[in-house]
Amino acid sequence: MVANKEVGELQRQIPVPDGRLVAHSPGRRGVWHWYEDHARGTGELARRFAEPWGGGELAYRLGRDHDTGKGACAWQDGLIEEATTGRKVRRPAHHGAGAFLFAQVARQYPVLTPFAGVIEGHHTGLSAWSELSVRLKGLMRDSGEVDEAISRVAEVMPEILEGTCPAVPGRLDPRNRTSVEMLVRMTYSAVVDADRLDTAAHFRPGPPPRQGAGMPELWARYETRRQEALAERRRRKELSWLDALREDVYQEAIETAAGGPGVYRLHLPTGAGKTFAGGGFALRHAALRGLRRVIVAVPFISITEQNAAVYRSLLDPEHGPRAVLEHHSAVNFEAPDRRAPRSSGASGDTPQDQRRARPNRWAKLAAENWDAPFIVTTTVRLIESLFGNSPSATRRLHRLANSVIVLDEVQALPDNLLTPILSGLRELVEHYGVTLVLSSATQPELAALNPWQTGLPQRDIVAHPEPLFQRLRRVRYDWRTGPEVTLKSIAAEAATHGQALMVVNATKDASHVHKVWLGDRDEDPSTLHLSTRMTGGHRREIIQTAKQRLDAGLDTLLVATSLIEAGVDLDFPRGYRARSLPESEQQAAGRINREGHRPTEDSIMTIFEPTDGLQPQVIYNRCGIAAASRRFGKGLADPDDLDTLRSYYQHRYRLQAGRSSTDPNGATGEAIEALRERLDYPETARRMSMIDNEHSVAIVAIRSQLNQNDRRAAQKAIEQLRSGVPTPETYRSLQDHMASIPQRELETAINAGHAVEIAGALYQWTGPYHPQRGIEPATQ
């Protein structure tokens, strides 16, 4: 053991600890992070994080003992040599000793044994129980590799040898494996976040960040500013019947917020004010029930940006800590080494395993732990937090406890993952103090699926939505089929109306229609295109341009993919939607006669089946379309018929759902639920990925149309990522420059020199970028 020595002249002299155990090298103050300070500090933070669900003692024990392996002489010598010489030193893994200690204690209550995985995976991620149990049994047979570390730590912290079992939540039922699985996840999140925060406080000392406003203050601020905005609108013009209806909806939502915790449905037609009503309900409910935060999850980044802007205007103070955190998911900055095995069997024991599991350095700086009172994020990020197994993804999970979660556009949840999603959300509601709000104009019948079939009542925030749908029906549907119906024929018809929206199922189709409209022209200010192949900033520009032209009464033709169907506030007099699922068709219709200024009979939404168009590229749509084709269409119901929609959802789920929540023949994620019962965290995380790499690879594109300052700032952010020294705002600064292309096209682009790696899984587009259509499809 290195002790009692001073290293010679370096950039600065670092005194070596005299026999004391250290956890981390000296920070800016030149002070070592003593082992016992870090262990107890992490334990106390973890206790505080886990107390809301009764897991405080368990989290404290795991947090206190998580770094026991650092007591080994080889680990201590390695850290000291590295800190005093500046040379990288390979140190032994340090996660086994604490896991072994806890597994010994858990012999008294075997259901606790899997919690040893919290310590074992606090750097590398939660392992599968089948593999963890083998490693623990090996240590039980021969503990030689951990005995030294344990004995050395016990000299300064004798309490680690106490043999008592920590108190656990009384509801913990060994027979309910998914409940055990979720409790391991929540405890892991509390310990990982506590570890990171205590470590960060050592390296970046200073006063703790100022706490933001609590829920009562935020609710009061929200209501005050909303009333001020309404008064200003009244001063500018007389409020319409639609404004009055939205106010009635809002007031009913506020009254319902006084109800108890549980699951609520916000079922409102497009244009009825869901954003304001949902935010008001969530804030007042949180204020009345003593909840800690509100989390709004939406399926598309475009809605995230729009909703976050609305909520910031109502909640962020003029000075002081911001209340609203906007957290996107356009790209995974924690991508593992491409050479890493796909198997869930990596133990994390070898240096090679640790290198593979270690995220990029810059990714740590961008990590979020959702310590904010009001969060606007994507559904992808929420599900990643709920079912991921990496420290970065799971670190945020404990923040969900005692919160209101608003799932906006809930109909967009993928059918093939519904069983584990609903099961996980039920756990949060029943055991972690969560109130869940399901918000949509096309409410799916989730109670028809196994996890929610019994014992989980749903309450309506607006008690009687049917009259609202009748009153707000602002379009007449027209159905078009036959061999003569093509993208080109419908595009030609749309062009005769001057102002028209055309929504198609694929970016390839959108590009084709836009070219048909342009004809021989290179560009036309009245002809617009919108798809995910365009950067976020480019899309916003197009939406703003369309809105301005429509308001001015100018000719405006817009072709878009489904991204326009949620949260985009445009008002066209005429619309066309390629045949899809009824919820998409109804959402598209929400962009037609949105403000109700035109007669319904004159506001036509044409649903067409193009012989040359693509179907929605999601497998479950086959079942959805099968269920829809019997109910919606010419001579049948329209997509906004609520009774038919309920029947459609029930039939759609029956076509897919298994007989039980773990039926391997089910197509709503039952096999994933079985993985959860087996505590297979890596495979669950892999199977729960909501981003299909075939269709959602994020890529940075710096458009030539940007001004010089914006181009320079974007390039600087890219270089910061490449250098490994970004600021926490680096990723955010690139959001406006991100587009999406299929994985297969990315591989082709790399080979052609049109895409170059920035870092991890993020690439920069260096190929052609069309000024109207963005990154063109590789094949037409």
Side-chain angles (χ1 to χ4, degrees), residues 77-89:
D77 289 348
L79 178 64
I80 292 170
E81 182 180 349
E82 186 172 303
T84 55
T85 66
R87 294 192 301 268
K88 279 289 181 185
V89 177

Side-chain angles (χ1 to χ4, degrees), residues 40-92:
R40 291 173 179 142
T42 298
E44 289 297 341
L45 261 181
R47 186 206 305 271
R48 178 159 62 86
F49 292 155
E51 278 177 347
W53 63 83
E57 288 305 309
L58 178 60
Y60 173 81
R61 181 75 64 88
L62 293 165
R64 184 197 68 188
D65 297 347
H66 76 287
D67 271 353
T68 304
K70 289 184 176 181
C73 284
W75 196 95
Q76 291 286 311
D77 289 348
L79 178 64
I80 292 170
E81 182 180 349
E82 186 172 303
T84 55
T85 66
R87 294 192 301 268
K88 279 289 181 185
V89 177
R90 181 175 294 183
R91 283 168 274 148

Side-chain angles (χ1 to χ4, degrees), residues 696-766:
S696 1
V697 178
I699 193 163
V700 176
I702 304 178
R703 295 183 288 146
S704 59
Q705 293 80 11
L706 295 173
N707 64 48
Q708 188 175 7
N709 288 338
D710 288 343
R711 289 174 59 83
R712 187 182 297 116
Q715 194 59 49
K716 179 181 178 182
I718 289 172
E719 294 308 317
Q720 285 178 318
L721 290 179
R722 285 196 174 117
S723 67
V725 287
T727 68
E729 295 299 317
T730 302
Y731 167 57
R732 294 178 189 276
S733 70
L734 288 177
Q735 287 289 340
D736 279 353
H737 309 290
M738 286 186 183
S740 296
I741 62 173
Q743 175 71 46
R744 62 182 181 277
E745 288 189 29
L746 175 61
E747 299 295 337
T748 301
I750 293 170
N751 294 333
H754 291 163
V756 294
E757 184 178 7
I758 297 175
L762 187 62
Y763 282 76
Q764 180 180 357
W765 182 257
T766 56

Side-chain angles (χ1 to χ4, degrees), residues 286-308:
L288 292 174
R289 292 287 162 184
L291 304 184
R292 301 186 300 174
R293 60 181 47 83
V294 171
I295 300 159
V296 178
V298 297
F300 307 116
I301 288 177
S302 58
I303 317 176
T304 308
E305 295 164 342
Q306 179 173 294
N307 286 4

Side-chain angles (χ1 to χ4, degrees), residues 119-275:
I119 294 176
E120 200 246 12
H122 72 274
H123 283 301
T124 57
L126 285 168
S127 297
W129 168 240
S130 60
E131 297 158 1
L132 172 63
S133 61
V134 170
R135 292 194 287 274
L136 291 176
K137 288 175 182 176
L139 287 174
M140 292 296 184
R141 288 193 300 269
D142 181 7
S143 60
E145 66 179 272
V146 299
D147 286 342
E148 179 204 24
I150 292 172
S151 63
R152 289 186 56 78
V153 170
E155 292 176 8
V156 296
M157 293 181 61
E159 63 265 33
I160 70 166
L161 299 180
E162 64 181 298
T164 58
C165 199
V168 298
R171 60 173 174 76
L172 186 60
D173 182 356
R175 297 165 297 181
N176 189 340
R177 297 294 286 176
T178 53
S179 186
V180 173
E181 191 254 18
M182 184 58 70
L183 186 57
V184 171
R185 289 184 183 280
M186 294 292 281
T187 309
Y188 179 75
S189 171
V191 171
V192 166
D193 196 25
D195 179 27
R196 302 300 191 267
L197 290 173
D198 189 79
T199 301
H202 165 70
F203 285 108
R204 295 188 294 276
R210 287 179 293 166
Q211 295 297 311
M215 285 297 131
E217 182 181 345
L218 283 182
W219 156 241
R221 186 184 300 165
Y222 185 91
E223 180 62 4
T224 298
R225 290 185 180 176
R226 193 192 71 86
Q227 291 287 357
E228 291 172 350
L230 199 59
E232 176 61 27
R233 187 168 178 176
R234 286 196 187 98
R235 280 193 291 271
R236 286 188 277 113
K237 63 178 182 179
E238 184 178 350
L239 297 185
S240 68
W241 67 269
L242 186 54
D243 293 317
L245 183 146
R246 289 168 178 163
E247 183 64 15
D248 289 342
V249 165
Y250 179 83
Q251 293 301 331
E252 184 172 354
I254 296 312
E255 292 174 9
T256 309
V263 179
Y264 288 84
R265 303 198 326 165
L266 183 58
H267 191 188
L268 292 174
T270 302
K274 277 197 294 97
T275 299

Side-chain angles (χ1 to χ4, degrees), residues 134 195 221 428 459 595 647:
V134 170
D195 179 27
R221 186 184 300 165
L428 294 181
R459 287 166 277 187
E595 296 300 319
S647 171

